[in-house]
Amino acid sequence: MAFALAPLPYAADALAPAISAETLSFHHGKHHQTYVDKMNAAIAGTEHESKPLEAIIAAARGTNQGLFNNAAQTWNHAFYWHSLAPESTAPSAELAAKIDEAFGSLDALKQQLKDRGAGHFASGWVWLAEKDGKLSIEETHDADTLADSSMNPLLVLDVWEHAYYLDRQNKRPAYLDAVVEGKLNWAFASENLARGTVWTYA
């Protein structure tokens, strides 16, 4: 069974000016599509062909780096699209309480997300995650993911250059500021927390 490219949950220009339609068209239609295509080619005719994406990622980790990279990036990007929203949303009461407990305030969490994203060396991802009822900020490098981890990812920020270079050139902090302050989908994070299990690619 071949996987389809996960559609954007909003119009291509819905995140502008934080992220332009041009950036989304390349990032989603070119980069994300390429990961999906390479993964589908790698699993065709194999035991992985009928597995859910999360199971493919777990099976490929440490055994098949090429498949892992493309499967994980397929998952990470779909999760990232849902981590963003055209309009500001607010954390649920449950999530807000856990944010206050772990970080002191929502503003403090936002600042830490921006700082960790700006300080992340080279390519990767910065996550808000939950484990055993506690929130933390996690970083993964390159294609690495929390999709098959012991943590429940709530939100993610893409800090690969292709996420912002057309709009910001090398100014990653400007991209992070625009996204974190106005485009994070706290409703999605709240749903992930309430569900208590890792979001699944569909």
Side-chain angles (χ1 to χ4, degrees), residues 174-192:
Y175 151 74
L176 290 167
D177 189 62
V179 169
V180 171
E181 293 298 337
K183 299 301 179 184
L184 285 184
N185 190 350
W186 295 107
F188 178 64
S190 300
E191 292 166 6
N192 291 330

PDB file of all heavy atoms in Angstrom, residues 174-192:
ATOM      1  N   ALA A 174      14.128  34.963  13.105  1.00  0.00           N
ATOM      2  CA  ALA A 174      12.970  35.727  12.624  1.00  0.00           C
ATOM      3  C   ALA A 174      11.827  34.793  12.252  1.00  0.00           C
ATOM      4  O   ALA A 174      10.653  35.085  12.538  1.00  0.00           O
ATOM      5  CB  ALA A 174      13.377  36.590  11.426  1.00  0.00           C
ATOM      6  N   TYR A 175      12.149  33.680  11.617  1.00  0.00           N
ATOM      7  CA  TYR A 175      11.136  32.663  11.299  1.00  0.00           C
ATOM      8  C   TYR A 175      10.511  32.109  12.578  1.00  0.00           C
ATOM      9  O   TYR A 175       9.282  32.005  12.705  1.00  0.00           O
ATOM     10  CB  TYR A 175      11.792  31.556  10.477  1.00  0.00           C
ATOM     11  CG  TYR A 175      11.204  30.178  10.612  1.00  0.00           C
ATOM     12  CD1 TYR A 175       9.978  29.841  10.029  1.00  0.00           C
ATOM     13  CD2 TYR A 175      11.901  29.179  11.312  1.00  0.00           C
ATOM     14  CE1 TYR A 175       9.461  28.553  10.149  1.00  0.00           C
ATOM     15  CE2 TYR A 175      11.386  27.899  11.426  1.00  0.00           C
ATOM     16  CZ  TYR A 175      10.169  27.592  10.853  1.00  0.00           C
ATOM     17  OH  TYR A 175       9.657  26.318  10.972  1.00  0.00           O
ATOM     18  N   LEU A 176      11.350  31.766  13.540  1.00  0.00           N
ATOM     19  CA  LEU A 176      10.848  31.191  14.788  1.00  0.00           C
ATOM     20  C   LEU A 176       9.970  32.179  15.535  1.00  0.00           C
ATOM     21  O   LEU A 176       8.919  31.807  16.086  1.00  0.00           O
ATOM     22  CB  LEU A 176      12.020  30.753  15.671  1.00  0.00           C
ATOM     23  CG  LEU A 176      12.799  29.538  15.161  1.00  0.00           C
ATOM     24  CD1 LEU A 176      14.107  29.393  15.930  1.00  0.00           C
ATOM     25  CD2 LEU A 176      11.964  28.274  15.282  1.00  0.00           C
ATOM     26  N   ASP A 177      10.373  33.430  15.563  1.00  0.00           N
ATOM     27  CA  ASP A 177       9.579  34.440  16.260  1.00  0.00           C
ATOM     28  C   ASP A 177       8.193  34.560  15.627  1.00  0.00           C
ATOM     29  O   ASP A 177       7.176  34.593  16.334  1.00  0.00           O
ATOM     30  CB  ASP A 177      10.305  35.785  16.226  1.00  0.00           C
ATOM     31  CG  ASP A 177       9.634  36.817  17.114  1.00  0.00           C
ATOM     32  OD1 ASP A 177       9.557  36.601  18.333  1.00  0.00           O
ATOM     33  OD2 ASP A 177       9.179  37.845  16.580  1.00  0.00           O
ATOM     34  N   ALA A 178       8.143  34.612  14.300  1.00  0.00           N
ATOM     35  CA  ALA A 178       6.858  34.770  13.607  1.00  0.00           C
ATOM     36  C   ALA A 178       5.952  33.567  13.836  1.00  0.00           C
ATOM     37  O   ALA A 178       4.739  33.715  14.059  1.00  0.00           O
ATOM     38  CB  ALA A 178       7.105  34.972  12.117  1.00  0.00           C
ATOM     39  N   VAL A 179       6.517  32.374  13.796  1.00  0.00           N
ATOM     40  CA  VAL A 179       5.715  31.161  13.943  1.00  0.00           C
ATOM     41  C   VAL A 179       5.282  30.943  15.389  1.00  0.00           C
ATOM     42  O   VAL A 179       4.108  30.678  15.661  1.00  0.00           O
ATOM     43  CB  VAL A 179       6.499  29.940  13.410  1.00  0.00           C
ATOM     44  CG1 VAL A 179       5.810  28.642  13.794  1.00  0.00           C
ATOM     45  CG2 VAL A 179       6.643  30.029  11.903  1.00  0.00           C
ATOM     46  N   VAL A 180       6.226  31.042  16.303  1.00  0.00           N
ATOM     47  CA  VAL A 180       5.914  30.754  17.710  1.00  0.00           C
ATOM     48  C   VAL A 180       4.938  31.766  18.283  1.00  0.00           C
ATOM     49  O   VAL A 180       4.039  31.412  19.056  1.00  0.00           O
ATOM     50  CB  VAL A 180       7.214  30.695  18.546  1.00  0.00           C
ATOM     51  CG1 VAL A 180       6.901  30.623  20.034  1.00  0.00           C
ATOM     52  CG2 VAL A 180       8.063  29.500  18.116  1.00  0.00           C
ATOM     53  N   GLU A 181       5.070  33.024  17.902  1.00  0.00           N
ATOM     54  CA  GLU A 181       4.211  34.060  18.474  1.00  0.00           C
ATOM     55  C   GLU A 181       2.821  34.119  17.844  1.00  0.00           C
ATOM     56  O   GLU A 181       1.885  34.597  18.486  1.00  0.00           O
ATOM     57  CB  GLU A 181       4.881  35.430  18.355  1.00  0.00           C
ATOM     58  CG  GLU A 181       6.128  35.584  19.206  1.00  0.00           C
ATOM     59  CD  GLU A 181       5.869  35.447  20.698  1.00  0.00           C
ATOM     60  OE1 GLU A 181       4.723  35.657  21.134  1.00  0.00           O
ATOM     61  OE2 GLU A 181       6.821  35.113  21.426  1.00  0.00           O
ATOM     62  N   GLY A 182       2.670  33.578  16.624  1.00  0.00           N
ATOM     63  CA  GLY A 182       1.365  33.757  16.001  1.00  0.00           C
ATOM     64  C   GLY A 182       0.755  32.596  15.262  1.00  0.00           C
ATOM     65  O   GLY A 182      -0.419  32.647  14.889  1.00  0.00           O
ATOM     66  N   LYS A 183       1.525  31.498  15.061  1.00  0.00           N
ATOM     67  CA  LYS A 183       1.012  30.439  14.193  1.00  0.00           C
ATOM     68  C   LYS A 183       1.034  29.049  14.808  1.00  0.00           C
ATOM     69  O   LYS A 183       0.710  28.075  14.117  1.00  0.00           O
ATOM     70  CB  LYS A 183       1.808  30.418  12.877  1.00  0.00           C
ATOM     71  CG  LYS A 183       1.729  31.706  12.066  1.00  0.00           C
ATOM     72  CD  LYS A 183       0.295  32.069  11.687  1.00  0.00           C
ATOM     73  CE  LYS A 183       0.224  33.363  10.891  1.00  0.00           C
ATOM     74  NZ  LYS A 183      -1.183  33.760  10.615  1.00  0.00           N
ATOM     75  N   LEU A 184       1.377  28.906  16.076  1.00  0.00           N
ATOM     76  CA  LEU A 184       1.363  27.575  16.675  1.00  0.00           C
ATOM     77  C   LEU A 184      -0.064  27.143  16.963  1.00  0.00           C
ATOM     78  O   LEU A 184      -0.885  27.916  17.450  1.00  0.00           O
ATOM     79  CB  LEU A 184       2.201  27.546  17.958  1.00  0.00           C
ATOM     80  CG  LEU A 184       3.715  27.559  17.774  1.00  0.00           C
ATOM     81  CD1 LEU A 184       4.413  27.426  19.116  1.00  0.00           C
ATOM     82  CD2 LEU A 184       4.175  26.449  16.831  1.00  0.00           C
ATOM     83  N   ASN A 185      -0.348  25.885  16.693  1.00  0.00           N
ATOM     84  CA  ASN A 185      -1.692  25.345  16.840  1.00  0.00           C
ATOM     85  C   ASN A 185      -1.841  24.694  18.220  1.00  0.00           C
ATOM     86  O   ASN A 185      -1.690  23.480  18.381  1.00  0.00           O
ATOM     87  CB  ASN A 185      -1.963  24.329  15.730  1.00  0.00           C
ATOM     88  CG  ASN A 185      -3.412  23.908  15.673  1.00  0.00           C
ATOM     89  OD1 ASN A 185      -4.203  24.225  16.559  1.00  0.00           O
ATOM     90  ND2 ASN A 185      -3.772  23.172  14.630  1.00  0.00           N
ATOM     91  N   TRP A 186      -2.151  25.531  19.204  1.00  0.00           N
ATOM     92  CA  TRP A 186      -2.283  25.032  20.572  1.00  0.00           C
ATOM     93  C   TRP A 186      -3.491  24.112  20.721  1.00  0.00           C
ATOM     94  O   TRP A 186      -3.520  23.261  21.612  1.00  0.00           O
ATOM     95  CB  TRP A 186      -2.341  26.189  21.555  1.00  0.00           C
ATOM     96  CG  TRP A 186      -1.061  26.965  21.573  1.00  0.00           C
ATOM     97  CD1 TRP A 186      -0.822  28.198  21.052  1.00  0.00           C
ATOM     98  CD2 TRP A 186       0.189  26.527  22.132  1.00  0.00           C
ATOM     99  NE1 TRP A 186       0.492  28.557  21.230  1.00  0.00           N
ATOM    100  CE2 TRP A 186       1.125  27.559  21.896  1.00  0.00           C
ATOM    101  CE3 TRP A 186       0.604  25.371  22.793  1.00  0.00           C
ATOM    102  CZ2 TRP A 186       2.452  27.463  22.312  1.00  0.00           C
ATOM    103  CZ3 TRP A 186       1.929  25.278  23.204  1.00  0.00           C
ATOM    104  CH2 TRP A 186       2.824  26.317  22.959  1.00  0.00           C
ATOM    105  N   ALA A 187      -4.478  24.253  19.862  1.00  0.00           N
ATOM    106  CA  ALA A 187      -5.618  23.335  19.890  1.00  0.00           C
ATOM    107  C   ALA A 187      -5.165  21.923  19.515  1.00  0.00           C
ATOM    108  O   ALA A 187      -5.603  20.934  20.122  1.00  0.00           O
ATOM    109  CB  ALA A 187      -6.713  23.820  18.941  1.00  0.00           C
ATOM    110  N   PHE A 188      -4.285  21.806  18.522  1.00  0.00           N
ATOM    111  CA  PHE A 188      -3.726  20.508  18.127  1.00  0.00           C
ATOM    112  C   PHE A 188      -2.912  19.909  19.270  1.00  0.00           C
ATOM    113  O   PHE A 188      -3.040  18.718  19.585  1.00  0.00           O
ATOM    114  CB  PHE A 188      -2.862  20.697  16.882  1.00  0.00           C
ATOM    115  CG  PHE A 188      -2.179  19.458  16.379  1.00  0.00           C
ATOM    116  CD1 PHE A 188      -2.912  18.376  15.913  1.00  0.00           C
ATOM    117  CD2 PHE A 188      -0.793  19.395  16.328  1.00  0.00           C
ATOM    118  CE1 PHE A 188      -2.273  17.232  15.423  1.00  0.00           C
ATOM    119  CE2 PHE A 188      -0.146  18.260  15.844  1.00  0.00           C
ATOM    120  CZ  PHE A 188      -0.890  17.175  15.398  1.00  0.00           C
ATOM    121  N   ALA A 189      -2.091  20.729  19.912  1.00  0.00           N
ATOM    122  CA  ALA A 189      -1.303  20.257  21.055  1.00  0.00           C
ATOM    123  C   ALA A 189      -2.212  19.765  22.173  1.00  0.00           C
ATOM    124  O   ALA A 189      -1.943  18.739  22.815  1.00  0.00           O
ATOM    125  CB  ALA A 189      -0.391  21.370  21.561  1.00  0.00           C
ATOM    126  N   SER A 190      -3.298  20.495  22.411  1.00  0.00           N
ATOM    127  CA  SER A 190      -4.246  20.106  23.460  1.00  0.00           C
ATOM    128  C   SER A 190      -4.903  18.771  23.136  1.00  0.00           C
ATOM    129  O   SER A 190      -5.090  17.925  24.026  1.00  0.00           O
ATOM    130  CB  SER A 190      -5.311  21.195  23.622  1.00  0.00           C
ATOM    131  OG  SER A 190      -4.734  22.436  23.976  1.00  0.00           O
ATOM    132  N   GLU A 191      -5.247  18.564  21.879  1.00  0.00           N
ATOM    133  CA  GLU A 191      -5.844  17.290  21.450  1.00  0.00           C
ATOM    134  C   GLU A 191      -4.860  16.141  21.644  1.00  0.00           C
ATOM    135  O   GLU A 191      -5.235  15.053  22.103  1.00  0.00           O
ATOM    136  CB  GLU A 191      -6.257  17.375  19.980  1.00  0.00           C
ATOM    137  CG  GLU A 191      -7.412  18.313  19.698  1.00  0.00           C
ATOM    138  CD  GLU A 191      -7.550  18.623  18.212  1.00  0.00           C
ATOM    139  OE1 GLU A 191      -6.812  18.013  17.399  1.00  0.00           O
ATOM    140  OE2 GLU A 191      -8.392  19.475  17.865  1.00  0.00           O
ATOM    141  N   ASN A 192      -3.601  16.372  21.304  1.00  0.00           N
ATOM    142  CA  ASN A 192      -2.592  15.328  21.463  1.00  0.00           C
ATOM    143  C   ASN A 192      -2.390  14.968  22.928  1.00  0.00           C
ATOM    144  O   ASN A 192      -2.221  13.796  23.282  1.00  0.00           O
ATOM    145  CB  ASN A 192      -1.269  15.777  20.840  1.00  0.00           C
ATOM    146  CG  ASN A 192      -1.336  15.858  19.325  1.00  0.00           C
ATOM    147  OD1 ASN A 192      -2.080  15.117  18.691  1.00  0.00           O
ATOM    148  ND2 ASN A 192      -0.572  16.769  18.739  1.00  0.00           N
TER     149      ASN A 192
END
